[in-house]
Amino acid sequence: MKYLNYILFFLSLITFPNLFAQFGPEQLITTELENPFSIALGDIDGDTLVDVVVGSVSASDIVSWSKNIDADGAFTPFEEIALGETWNISMVDLDGDNDLDIITAFRFEDEFVWFENLDGQGNFSSKQVVDTNVDGAFEVIAADIDGDNDNDLVATIDLEGNVVWYENLDGQGNFSGRNNIGFLLNGCRTIIATDIDDDDDLDVVAGTAGDKTIVWYENLDGLGNFGGEKVVAGAALAVSDIYCADLDGDNDIDIVAHTPAESKIAWHENLDGLGNFGVQQIITTQATCLAFTGADIDNDDDIDILFSNNPSTTKENSELIIIKNLDGLGNFGDVQILGNMLQYVRIIATSDIDNDSDLDVFATSQLNDKVVWYENLTILSNNDFKSLGIKIYPNPVKEVLVVESPIAIQKVNVYNVLGVKLLEILDNFNEVSMAGLPNGLLLIEVSTEKGTVLEKVVKE
């Protein structure tokens, strides 16, 4: 029996620490940007810390960046990079000098542009124009479309209904003219480049409106010659955003899409790894938002979904919400609210801001001028349990488990080795009754104001 308990505990170490990820309170980066909209995350100045770039949609229309000062998530005031209305922004090395440049679409200027990081320290050039003959520039992303190991650009032209790409001719950010990928895509605003059919080149997925709401285009030769559109989802309301990843653990790329008019996020399984997709599988119908993304929030090697719920534009009651992928097979759990003091969330992004190997969450809250982040507080190790001064005894335990902590306890949970919650204690933490629980190895989760820790006990 003792040997069995050791085996069970070893298995629990593999599966449990990732089940209890939680987040700290809202941490404000700034309220000084009017109507912050788009956001991009990356190490702009080469100090290994994640910095923030924000595009504002307002009378001022500023693209600016803020330096992450330390691993605790303190930021400098934002510095202006350029003027222009941008609804999407990203960072990538366009000129092969191993630092992050900025690419964006200036919507009302009808331009796709980029800004060179001149010194790897965040001093940026004036705008470098890729295309000025664009009727409704909306989104532009970087991807190596032609397999020559530099970043080309893929873009949507909203009012033309086109998806196009521009070749990086020399790996230094000098681009070709427009290469067409797809035509007549009503309301086409969102794109992703990914390998849909497992042939080691990048295909393109687009979210649209009307009679074909999700389509993809095969990169036929790995050189950027594309086939005709392949419809994943037919007639429906407009898709505002898409996300592509392996949701079900079968090593191919599935597609997630958000339909804001239906408050729906749903995913389509790549049935054969070749780009033949199944019917929609609904994740939630509570996504009254424009912002959603996917990320492995709880470090269990599958993709969870993050989105916002924006019930009103006049109150600070927008919520950031996580739905976890329960089994790595695309079966999702209930909503978990991460934060709720926002007002019309426009973009959600994830990155490890504090260098602790988990993904923190960022958001722009447009109507109260907030840019915020939330720290992902993962389970601490047994050593952390002891270093915080928390004690539990006796162990083994028969009837009453004593929990002592110099830090205020918020909650105590008891789980079995399969991750099933057996008991939740919200008060009277010092003496936890174990009398009605099954014998064997159990896990005690103690939530404090400094994070959540886990310890094993044996119930006799």
Side-chain angles (χ1 to χ4, degrees):
M1 179 61 68
K2 184 176 181 181
Y3 181 71
L4 175 60
N5 283 340
Y6 282 131
I7 294 175
L8 291 174
F9 178 61
F10 176 76
L11 292 174
S12 74
L13 289 179
I14 297 174
T15 59
F16 266 34
N18 306 317
L19 295 178
F20 306 121
Q22 62 177 12
F23 286 83
E26 173 188 296
Q27 299 194 50
L28 186 65
I29 297 175
T30 188
T31 58
E32 298 301 315
L33 301 177
E34 184 181 0
N35 291 350
F37 197 107
S38 54
I39 191 169
L41 306 171
D43 180 11
I44 288 177
D45 54 358
D47 62 356
T48 74
L49 298 176
V50 175
D51 308 305
V52 180
V53 177
V54 173
S56 297
V57 177
S58 63
S60 54
D61 289 345
I62 296 175
V63 178
S64 55
W65 80 283
S66 175
K67 173 181 171 61
N68 186 350
I69 298 173
D70 55 35
D72 293 326
F75 290 87
T76 64
F78 277 78
E79 299 179 29
E80 180 181 318
I81 297 171
L83 298 178
E85 180 172 296
T86 175
W87 288 23
N88 294 279
I89 197 165
S90 59
M91 287 189 277
V92 70
D93 182 9
L94 282 187
D95 53 358
D97 61 355
N98 298 314
D99 57 34
L100 293 178
D101 310 302
I102 294 173
I103 56 174
T104 190
F106 281 165
R107 178 163 174 77
F108 290 107
E109 291 85 348
D110 289 333
E111 294 177 331
F112 297 125
V113 301
W114 71 283
F115 300 88
E116 181 185 355
N117 190 341
L118 295 170
D119 54 5
Q121 299 294 311
N123 294 299
F124 288 91
S125 71
S126 58
K127 71 179 180 183
Q128 312 292 307
V129 176
V130 177
D131 193 347
T132 59
N133 186 27
V134 180
D135 189 6
F138 197 87
E139 182 168 13
V140 58
I141 62 173
D144 183 9
I145 293 297
D146 54 358
D148 61 355
N149 298 314
D150 58 33
N151 281 305
D152 310 302
L153 298 180
V154 185
T156 60
I157 305 175
D158 181 21
L159 300 181
E160 296 178 20
N162 290 350
V163 178
V164 300
W165 76 281
Y166 304 86
E167 182 184 355
N168 192 338
L169 296 172
D170 54 6
Q172 297 181 25
N174 294 300
F175 290 92
S176 71
R178 183 184 304 182
N179 300 288
N180 290 308
I181 297 175
F183 301 92
L184 302 177
L185 297 174
N186 179 31
C188 181
R189 293 187 168 186
T190 180
I191 47 170
I192 289 178
T194 187
D195 185 5
I196 290 292
D197 52 358
D198 196 29
D199 61 353
D200 297 322
D201 58 34
L202 294 180
D203 311 300
V204 172
V205 184
T208 72
D211 60 349
K212 42 196 176 186
T213 53
I214 307 172
V215 299
W216 75 279
Y217 299 89
E218 181 183 355
N219 191 340
L220 297 173
D221 53 7
L223 300 176
N225 295 299
F226 287 87
E229 68 186 23
K230 301 184 180 185
V231 177
V232 176
L237 299 175
V239 168
S240 71
D241 205 359
I242 53 176
Y243 177 83
C244 294
D246 180 9
L247 291 192
D248 53 359
D250 60 356
N251 298 314
D252 56 34
I253 300 297
D254 310 301
I255 298 175
V256 190
H258 174 224
T259 311
E262 300 173 293
S263 302
K264 181 178 68 179
I265 297 174
W267 71 285
H268 296 261
E269 181 185 357
N270 191 339
L271 298 173
D272 53 6
L274 300 176
N276 294 299
F277 287 88
V279 298
Q280 71 172 8
Q281 301 184 52
I282 295 176
I283 297 173
T284 182
T285 55
Q286 300 181 48
T288 58
C289 64
L290 293 178
F292 105 96
T293 191
D296 182 9
I297 289 298
D298 49 3
N299 284 351
D300 62 351
D301 297 322
D302 58 36
I303 298 298
D304 311 298
I305 298 298
L306 300 93
F307 64 94
S308 63
N309 178 15
N310 296 330
S312 170
T313 59
T314 61
K315 299 178 182 179
E316 288 187 335
N317 62 357
S318 295
E319 299 170 330
L320 277 183
I321 295 172
I322 298 171
I323 298 184
K324 292 185 179 178
N325 191 336
L326 297 176
D327 53 9
L329 301 176
N331 295 302
F332 289 86
D334 297 326
V335 300
Q336 301 179 35
I337 298 175
L338 188 157
N340 60 3
M341 293 299 293
L342 306 173
Q343 190 172 350
Y344 208 55
V345 177
R346 295 307 299 247
I347 294 293
I348 302 170
T350 62
S351 188
D352 183 6
I353 198 72
D354 49 4
N355 284 348
D356 62 353
S357 301
D358 56 30
L359 292 177
D360 308 299
V361 175
F362 298 74
T364 56
S365 179
Q366 184 181 358
L367 298 184
N368 60 0
D369 298 337
K370 283 184 176 180
V371 180
V372 300
W373 75 284
Y374 301 84
E375 182 181 358
N376 191 342
L377 303 172
T378 58
I379 292 296
L380 303 176
S381 69
N382 290 332
N383 289 333
D384 290 318
F385 197 101
K386 295 175 182 177
S387 68
L388 291 176
I390 301 174
K391 299 178 181 178
I392 60 173
Y393 61 88
N395 188 11
V397 59
K398 289 185 178 180
E399 296 194 3
V400 176
L401 184 71
V402 178
V403 180
E404 294 182 354
S405 174
I407 307 166
I409 297 176
Q410 299 168 334
K411 181 170 59 176
V412 174
N413 289 329
V414 181
Y415 297 85
N416 67 18
V417 294
L418 298 178
V420 177
K421 184 190 294 185
L422 304 177
L423 188 64
E424 181 178 71
I425 307 296
L426 299 176
D427 54 20
N428 300 322
F429 303 114
N430 289 346
E431 295 187 352
V432 178
S433 175
M434 308 285 283
L437 301 181
N439 293 340
L441 181 67
L442 301 175
L443 292 170
I444 310 299
E445 179 194 27
V446 180
S447 297
T448 76
E449 59 188 13
K450 291 190 175 181
T452 300
V453 290
L454 193 70
E455 182 63 287
K456 66 184 187 295
V457 299
V458 175
K459 169 65 168 51
E460 292 184 335

